[in-house]
Amino acid sequence: MVEVAGGASRADASGQVIVRAAAWVALIGGLLFGTRPDLRGGRAVALILAAAIALPLVQLVPLPPAMWTALPGRDLITHAALGAGEPQPWRPWAIAPGATVNAASSLVVPAAVLWLMLGLGVEERRRLPGFLLCLVLASTLIGLVQVSSFSFDNPLINESPHTVSGTFANRNHFALLMALGCPLASVWAFGAREVRPWRHVAGLASMALFLVAILVSGSRAGLLLGSLGLGMALLLSGATVKKALGRYPRWLFPALVAGVLAIVLGLVLLSIAADRAVSINRLFEQDPGQDMRSRGLPTVLSMITDYFPFGSGLGGFDPIFRIHEPFELLKSTYFNHAHNDFLEIVLDAGLPGLVLLLAALFWWGWASVRAWRASLGPDAMLARLGSAMLLLVMLASVFDYPARTPAIMALVAIAGVWLSGRSGARRASSLPAAA
């Protein structure tokens, strides 16, 4: 369901209703009939998510007039009410409470995924990387079909016409999914204890397909994310491949790496020659969206100062920005997000959001060091995969807002549990097997 309807971040997208309803059904069904989850497999992730859910709920609590008017950034609204001769009512902390309700509601998706993830059995956990890889491949194929100008209208998301974005409304989010597919393919292809040459070929072919999809998507950020995703894929599989090639000459491993890079370079050159490398072409073009992001950054920073330390309310960037939008930035389209989720979190949630963000980043760094230092084994491989996936999402969040889509939210929850060192299984197990 998340694959089909979870590619949009807008609250009015039809898919939001379907995805959230399915998440509620899964969560309630898991609570009533499912296996009791092993919270030891993701306690840190559960605590971070619980704090993230509590924050918008607290922002919806009505405050007395004296307290609300004392919050920074509320002067304009206060003066407007006084000018109209109206008494000050009790108001929630959030300036746009409807948007904050939507922000809180959206978190049911990662909550349901986390609950189900922590209750998985050993065999189910083995199949998860392969299952996720199949979902990424499905979105990739849809994107490649869109290259041929075939009309693929998904009424569940607010997709832009004539763009290559797969099952997403935003091509940058689609490109991030392709980048995430590279380490997933690496672990699925080379992480199993049994040597299966067919899987190695399929994994490498999948990564090549992901890179081609990024090239034709037109996402310039995707070029960076795809390169990093490929590099992480090599890091994840390098030790396993080296060990498997131990009985062969030493030059074989670097020769294989060079061969993979040569194939990637050949695909890039072929795409350029066929005039299909839209992402590379857009590197040399003026992007109105990118220009708006840089021009709007000073206003966003000024807004953070105006509303700090309490914030303006989660999810309310659009109406709040319209209040502060300078005349020279006015145009026929609207600036829906700060296009830097770290800054937007601080703007919306103030100091509490900043503290939660820093705590999450600290946990990721600490857990990542532990995962990459650990001896290679079943849990270590999945923990490294989770670390790599979360890093890609965080980098994408510096210039966009991918984690606001249900599909990426679900992947973040899964990657977080993997990084915790366990995936909810009751006992240790081997590396991911077949999908």
Side-chain angles (χ1 to χ4, degrees), residues 305-316:
T305 303
D306 291 342
Y307 291 99
F308 199 80
F310 295 99
S312 61
L314 286 161

Side-chain angles (χ1 to χ4, degrees), residues 186-202:
S186 176
V187 169
W188 174 80
F190 299 98
R193 289 179 175 177
E194 304 85 359
V195 178
R196 298 177 180 177
W198 70 268
R199 188 180 288 192
H200 300 168
V201 175

Side-chain angles (χ1 to χ4, degrees), residues 36-417:
R36 183 178 178 181
D38 184 2
L39 292 179
R40 294 176 299 171
R43 182 175 287 115
V45 181
L47 289 174
I48 293 172
L49 181 57
I53 295 173
L55 190 51
L57 296 180
V58 170
Q59 290 184 336
L60 292 172
V61 176
L63 301 177
M67 184 178 295
W68 193 90
T69 55
L71 297 176
R74 273 65 175 179
D75 298 344
L76 180 63
I77 301 174
T78 302
H79 293 159
L82 291 175
E86 298 177 358
Q88 291 290 341
W90 284 52
R91 291 189 177 98
W93 177 350
I95 296 177
T100 305
V101 169
N102 174 67
S105 299
S106 68
L107 295 177
V108 68
V109 174
V113 172
L114 178 62
W115 183 272
L116 297 176
M117 182 76 176
L118 293 176
L120 288 180
V122 174
E123 292 302 320
E124 296 165 318
R125 179 166 68 95
R126 288 178 179 178
R127 294 187 176 95
L128 190 55
F131 174 73
L132 293 178
L133 180 61
C134 290
L135 295 181
V136 178
L137 284 170
S139 185
T140 306
L141 294 177
I142 292 174
L144 294 178
V145 167
Q146 292 171 333
V147 176
S148 63
S149 300
F150 179 80
S151 178
F152 181 81
D153 182 23
N154 186 348
L156 302 178
I157 60 175
N158 57 304
E159 59 183 343
S160 301
H162 311 299
T163 60
V164 178
S165 56
T167 54
F168 284 85
N170 185 309
R171 60 183 163 198
N172 289 331
H173 303 168
F174 171 69
L176 171 62
L177 183 67
M178 300 300 98
L180 293 171
C182 290
L184 271 173
S186 176
V187 169
W188 174 80
F190 299 98
R193 289 179 175 177
E194 304 85 359
V195 178
R196 298 177 180 177
W198 70 268
R199 188 180 288 192
H200 300 168
V201 175
L204 292 174
S206 298
M207 285 186 268
L209 197 64
F210 298 149
L211 294 176
V212 170
I214 290 174
L215 287 172
V216 300
S217 70
S219 171
R220 293 181 290 190
L223 294 175
L224 171 63
L225 296 174
S227 300
L228 292 174
L230 182 61
M232 292 173 183
L234 294 175
L235 283 176
L236 285 166
S237 60
T240 303
V241 175
K242 271 187 175 181
K243 185 177 180 180
L245 297 178
R247 55 185 178 180
Y248 298 100
R250 292 184 177 181
W251 56 264
L252 184 59
F253 178 73
L256 287 176
V257 174
V260 171
L261 295 178
I263 292 174
V264 171
L265 181 59
L267 289 172
V268 172
L269 294 176
L270 184 62
S271 300
I272 295 174
D275 197 25
R276 291 293 186 180
V278 183
S279 298
I280 294 178
N281 294 339
R282 292 183 72 242
L283 284 175
F284 306 99
E285 298 175 357
Q286 178 66 26
D287 182 12
Q290 185 65 36
D291 180 59
M292 182 60 188
R293 294 171 195 176
S294 59
R295 292 173 59 201
L297 181 59
T299 303
V300 173
L301 296 175
S302 175
M303 291 166 60
I304 292 175
T305 303
D306 291 342
Y307 291 99
F308 199 80
F310 295 99
S312 61
L314 286 161
F317 178 85
D318 175 25
I320 301 303
F321 184 80
R322 298 188 191 202
I323 296 175
H324 297 266
E325 189 174 15
F327 182 79
E328 58 269 18
L329 293 183
L330 292 176
K331 58 178 186 175
S332 57
T333 57
Y334 72 102
F335 199 44
N336 59 340
H337 286 287
H339 289 82
N340 183 317
D341 247 1
F342 298 102
L343 292 180
E344 190 165 340
I345 288 172
V346 179
L347 168 62
D348 291 351
L351 183 60
L354 177 60
V355 171
L356 179 58
L357 179 60
L358 291 176
L361 291 175
F362 174 80
W363 171 79
W364 171 83
W366 173 80
S368 296
V369 171
R370 182 188 63 180
W372 287 95
R373 280 186 173 182
S375 56
L376 189 60
D379 291 332
M381 176 67 83
L382 287 177
R384 293 177 184 182
L385 174 60
S387 171
M389 291 175 65
L390 289 177
L391 177 59
L392 288 172
V393 174
M394 288 189 292
L395 291 174
S397 298
V398 173
F399 41 79
D400 223 309
Y401 45 93
R404 296 178 185 269
T405 63
I408 301 299
M409 282 185 188
L411 290 175
V412 167
I414 293 172
V417 175

